Amino acid sequence: MVTLLGILSALSFGIGDFLARFSSREVGFKNSLFWMLVVGALFYLILFSIFGEGLNPNSIGLSNSFLSGILIMFGLLCLYRGLQIGPVSIVAPITAINPLFVFLIRFALGSEPSLLQWLSTFIVISGAIFVSFSANSFQESLGLTKKQIKDSVIISFMASITLALGLIFSQEATNTLNPLETVIYIRFFSLLGIAFIILFTKNKITLTKKAIPILFFQGILETSGYFCLVFAYAFDKASIAVVISSGFGLVTVVLARLILKEQISKLQSVGIILTFLGVFGLAI
């Protein structure tokens, strides 16, 4: 059951993030994230009304949810920006290494990893380096400038790190809150955060007819992914579902290859394979 939920989460995140490329180019990456969170919040409230058991907030849980919501918002903002300007098959795999940063942060806080986990860490880092170095191949195939490629790689690592931090605080929040309830607070703070950024930067909240169906499915898929994750966490607090869900990057890469016809070099293929093998090893 937990494995199935992890796979469903990966598929939901992967397809949702692929759609984010199109919505970000249509209405801008900030508006894309804003409307995705609006749709997602409404959909999640419906799910919570069916599966939830009411709200029982507390100060510690809300504090961790706030930090998680803001960090995840920044992570998704970076991811959407990367998908808007860079190659999907570079941005997605780098962002998907966030379990590596979760592992390293947990180690810094006192956890004792196994030899296999350290080996997996080295494999993930190697894979990410290969993917990063292969990015220059898109300069000709997609007509991107060196600056666009460099920016997309940097933004992808920023997305991965902030999403990892957000995940850690969300895990801490579930120690004092029901997992299904926690997502409501996290989504609320994420939505509040991106709304504040849009207003503070004096951007307009815009929406086009073309973007509406994309954002609708994007919001449903992203929320379904989180729902599967927290549902799995309710079954097993040491759930492998979180790591399996990082396979969203592989789903996004496959879609980029099939639909966008992005060319994947041998070096990039090796990097992608190493990255996901290493991430799986960190879960063992």
Side-chain angles (χ1 to χ4, degrees), residues 14 18 21-22 83 86-93 138 142 249-264 268:
F18 182 72
R21 175 182 179 84
F22 301 99
L83 291 170
V88 174
S89 52
I90 291 295
V91 175
F138 289 94
L142 295 181
L250 186 58
V251 175
T252 308
V253 168
V254 171
L255 290 173
R257 180 70 183 89
L258 294 176
I259 298 175
L260 299 179
K261 306 300 180 184
E262 286 191 3
Q263 299 298 316
I264 299 177
Q268 186 182 358

Side-chain angles (χ1 to χ4, degrees), residues 179-196:
L180 295 176
E181 177 186 358
T182 303
V183 177
I184 287 185
Y185 302 133
I186 292 174
R187 285 306 210 187
F188 169 76
F189 289 126
S190 291
L191 180 56
L192 194 65
I194 186 60
F196 179 80

Side-chain angles (χ1 to χ4, degrees), residues 44 48 170 173-186 226-227 229-235 237:
Y44 193 83
F48 186 78
S170 70
T174 56
N175 289 331
T176 56
L177 293 170
N178 180 284
L180 295 176
E181 177 186 358
T182 303
V183 177
I184 287 185
Y185 302 133
I186 292 174
Y226 275 106
F227 180 76
L229 273 187
V230 296
F231 210 63
Y233 193 75
F235 281 106
K237 290 190 179 296

Side-chain angles (χ1 to χ4, degrees), residues 86-125:
V88 174
S89 52
I90 291 295
V91 175
I94 293 177
T95 303
I97 67 171
N98 61 82
L100 165 67
F101 294 111
V102 173
F103 165 78
L104 292 175
I105 293 168
R106 290 294 187 192
F107 170 69
L109 294 175
S111 67
E112 298 181 0
S114 65
L115 179 61
L116 176 60
Q117 288 177 318
W118 279 119
L119 178 61
S120 298
T121 299
F122 175 76
I123 292 173
V124 172
I125 293 172

